[in-house]
Amino acid sequence: MEGFIDHALIYQILEETKAVTDEAIEAVLSKTFNRETLSYRDVAVLLQAKKPAHIERIYKRASEIKSEIYGNRVVMFAPLYVSNFCINNCSYCGYKRNNQFTRKKLTKAEIQEEVRILEKMGHKRIALEAGEDPVNCDIDYITDTIKTIYETVSEKSNIRRINVNIAATTVENYQKLKASEIGTYILFQETYEKSNYEKLHPHCPKGDYLYHLTAFDRAMQGGIDDVGAGVLFGFSDHRFEVLALMMHNKHLEDTFGVGFHTISVPRIKPAEGVDLSDYAHILDDETFKKIVAILRLAVPFTGIILSTRESEATRNELIHHGVTQLSAGSCTGVGGYKANELGNDVQQFAISDDRPTIDVIKGLIRDGFIPSFCTSCYRMGRTGDRFMKLAKTGEIQHVCQPNAMMTLKEYAIDYGDEELQTMADAFIASQLTHVKTDKTRNIIIKGLEDLSNGKRDIFL
Ligand code: SAM
């Protein structure tokens, strides 16, 4: 047992579920029809599936669940890297301390500049990213940055939700993040396999497996309700990682009454000073897709986040199988959004989908998805178990659907070209016909009119 991740139990379950039968797969899938919680063993059965027919069944069920719970909405965001100072030596990361380049953190004016560029792209929700450095990038720098971002009101709008992805820290620091009104606190475990974890993080604070693993406990003790987990796939057996994610989630549910708000599914990408051939578990596309679909079935109410590390084609496919949030127009360098930025900047890792945000939005609409710029839940106090209760009863639909349509309309008016405006109007009109009650439809129609008349930031 390593903390609450029972390594021996995971290996035992994987051993016992090796032979997958049609009956075993169907028995697990049948549980998903009445939203029964899947056991570790159930999840393992799905993870062990190899036959194309079994995998097709998993995809089909995952797509159905995705559509039943989330409809056709996809939440949009972009990362904002504010500091690449880092005292860690994560073997896979371009920001590792052993990489020699001129480090920087953004000044207040530079943060405002980045925020204005993000705002011009139409973003309302960002993921704030920074390396770990208690001297050059302490918690006060992070909370000051959050304040600056919220206060930067550009020509048309402002950033309305900031999720934060910074290193594991103390309860006191999490209290400060909470007081800064962050959305979700995001931290990837990278790998749950302890010996691999330690090899990947040599001689640095992040190498303390248990301290990293228990970060969400401290975050929740510090008052943060929404936490976002992730594994950086490529380091250990993916089946181990998914079962460990389930154990982590259960630990939080048992201890704090609520599990992960989101799960991110990054795959290791090329980066400065990183040799991908060092990693034994690089995932092929098919296995990756299977993981996303299984997560959708295992934790149906937890958002799944996919970044621009993945290609346009993979992203387009995975939104059908379970992904609920996409980044767009991303840059993974500090100060990277600033137009014509020159100099010695190092990207944390390479991205694959480099389409401008507006092209991602048009692509989603063409494929029948509503890109949503909604940031309402945490502003309305729908966080933690309050959010989960609304999600589980399906009530959340009544706010998500209107918010998605209204924020898309706002995006189209403020940032769309003629093509997007026409597309968005026609698409929203068609989506209105799917709204279940007249009351909700009327609320949306009124909101759309108000937006056309110049009102902004309308949300339920
Ligand atoms: N410094 C914080 C920490 O230590 O958790 C988090 C910020 S870091 C900017 C965000 C994430 O980027 C890491 O948790 C890691 O999973 C991911 N990352 C690092 N190198 C990567 C690579 N080469 N390819 C893909 N993702 C990578």
Side-chain angles (χ1 to χ4, degrees):
M1 192 81 157
E2 309 293 354
F4 40 80
I5 303 299
D6 191 336
H7 285 46
L9 178 61
I10 295 178
Y11 288 123
Q12 186 194 324
I13 293 174
L14 287 175
E15 187 57 37
E16 289 168 1
T17 50
K18 259 180 172 168
V20 184
T21 59
D22 292 357
E23 293 70 34
I25 294 275
E26 289 310 319
V28 175
L29 293 181
S30 70
K31 288 191 177 179
T32 67
F33 284 92
N34 41 6
R35 302 271 153 79
E36 265 178 71
T37 306
L38 300 190
S39 66
Y40 299 145
R41 193 166 296 271
D42 292 334
V43 177
V45 165
L46 301 180
L47 287 164
Q48 299 285 26
K50 285 187 196 69
K51 274 205 214 159
H54 290 163
I55 293 177
E56 278 312 313
R57 289 285 295 124
I58 293 172
Y59 289 162
K60 180 162 181 290
R61 193 65 202 122
S63 303
E64 287 163 1
I65 298 240
K66 156 94 204 277
S67 142
E68 279 161 29
I69 297 177
Y70 301 88
N72 55 350
R73 299 178 301 280
V74 180
V75 169
M76 308 305 300
F77 76 100
L80 173 60
Y81 283 74
V82 295
S83 170
N84 54 27
F85 283 97
C86 199
I87 54 170
N88 288 315
N89 228 347
C90 315
S91 71
Y92 48 86
C93 182
Y95 289 170
K96 66 178 126 183
R97 139 188 117 204
N98 281 0
N99 275 356
Q100 297 299 315
F101 63 98
T102 310
R103 308 267 166 173
K104 70 175 178 188
K105 68 174 173 188
L106 300 180
T107 62
K108 184 170 178 180
E110 287 169 333
I111 293 163
Q112 289 170 328
E113 199 164 4
E114 292 287 286
V115 169
R116 289 200 182 102
I117 298 168
L118 280 164
E119 192 274 319
K120 269 193 226 143
M121 292 157 68
H123 283 294
K124 300 285 181 266
R125 172 191 288 249
I126 60 167
L128 179 70
E129 309 272 345
E132 177 169 10
D133 188 327
V135 174
N136 291 298
C137 178
D138 63 7
I139 195 71
D140 294 335
Y141 172 77
I142 296 292
T143 53
D144 287 348
T145 298
I146 293 168
K147 191 160 181 274
T148 301
I149 297 170
Y150 278 138
E151 284 174 2
T152 305
V153 178
S154 306
E155 206 187 313
K156 289 186 172 146
S157 189
N158 63 324
I159 298 295
R160 299 170 185 160
R161 175 179 176 127
I162 305 173
N163 296 335
V164 175
N165 181 3
I166 60 164
T169 186
T170 59
V171 173
E172 194 193 356
N173 286 348
Y174 286 124
Q175 282 166 340
K176 289 185 181 179
L177 283 181
K178 168 76 182 169
S180 307
E181 301 188 357
I182 66 164
T184 309
Y185 170 64
I186 297 170
L187 185 71
F188 303 158
Q189 181 60 32
E190 319 298 6
T191 177
Y192 281 94
E193 208 288 325
K194 185 169 182 275
S195 62
N196 284 345
Y197 182 92
E198 286 167 352
K199 277 184 229 137
L200 291 163
H201 305 98
H203 314 296
C204 61
K206 188 163 169 179
D208 184 339
Y209 176 87
L210 283 182
Y211 188 74
H212 196 82
L213 182 68
T214 51
F216 289 158
D217 294 64
R218 293 189 297 284
M220 287 188 165
Q221 284 156 17
I224 293 177
D225 289 337
D226 288 340
V227 294
V231 161
L232 184 49
F233 285 101
F235 302 142
S236 306
D237 184 331
H238 68 274
R239 294 165 301 180
F240 181 94
E241 304 286 32
V242 172
L243 289 183
L245 269 169
M246 296 303 108
M247 271 183 189
H248 193 172
N249 190 53
K250 179 151 188 345
H251 163 77
L252 294 176
E253 279 177 351
D254 291 349
T255 316
F256 300 99
V258 63
F260 302 143
H261 188 66
T262 56
I263 294 179
S264 297
V265 287
R267 283 196 281 186
I268 175 96
K269 298 291 293 180
E272 186 71 25
V274 175
D275 184 353
L276 290 195
S277 67
D278 288 346
Y279 304 112
H281 295 274
I282 303 287
L283 281 186
D284 58 78
D285 289 350
E286 282 310 305
T287 310
F288 185 52
K289 214 164 86 179
K290 188 171 108 177
I291 291 171
V292 170
I294 292 172
L295 286 172
R296 183 70 299 140
L297 297 174
V299 280
F301 301 102
T302 299
I304 300 181
I305 302 181
L306 195 62
S307 75
T308 55
R309 290 175 183 86
E310 298 301 331
S311 68
E312 179 182 346
T314 305
R315 281 154 55 95
N316 285 346
E317 205 175 345
L318 288 179
I319 42 178
H320 290 279
H321 294 313
V323 165
T324 57
Q325 293 191 25
L326 286 179
S327 52
S330 306
C331 179
T332 65
V334 174
Y337 289 108
K338 187 175 158 196
N340 307 319
E341 171 79 61
L342 296 170
N344 191 18
D345 194 32
V346 172
Q347 298 271 318
Q348 193 202 11
F349 52 81
I351 59 173
S352 297
D353 184 353
D354 58 1
R355 289 173 296 163
T357 306
I358 189 166
D359 290 355
V360 177
I361 300 302
K362 286 179 185 174
L364 285 168
I365 295 175
R366 274 189 206 106
D367 288 346
F369 289 97
I370 314 178
S372 172
F373 290 87
C374 178
T375 55
S376 127
C377 272
Y378 96 102
R379 295 199 287 165
M380 296 295 283
R382 292 189 294 262
T383 59
D385 57 350
R386 288 190 59 201
F387 169 86
M388 277 301 167
K389 269 181 211 133
L390 290 169
K392 287 180 183 172
T393 56
E395 277 174 68
I396 199 84
Q397 294 272 5
H398 303 301
V399 292
C400 290
Q401 199 180 26
N403 286 340
M405 286 192 227
M406 292 189 293
T407 56
L408 174 60
K409 174 73 177 170
E410 182 177 350
Y411 174 87
I413 299 174
D414 286 345
Y415 311 99
D417 53 17
E418 224 180 293
E419 183 190 36
L420 179 73
Q421 283 169 1
T422 311
M423 278 172 89
D425 283 345
F427 184 61
I428 291 170
S430 74
Q431 293 303 303
L432 274 173
T433 62
H434 302 306
V435 174
K436 289 214 175 78
T437 66
D438 286 343
K439 188 178 164 214
T440 309
R441 190 174 306 106
N442 290 336
I443 290 172
I444 302 172
I445 291 170
K446 169 83 171 62
L448 296 172
E449 274 168 19
D450 287 347
L451 287 161
S452 295
N453 292 330
K455 205 168 164 201
R456 290 292 174 270
D457 199 12
I458 304 174
F459 58 93
L460 308 176

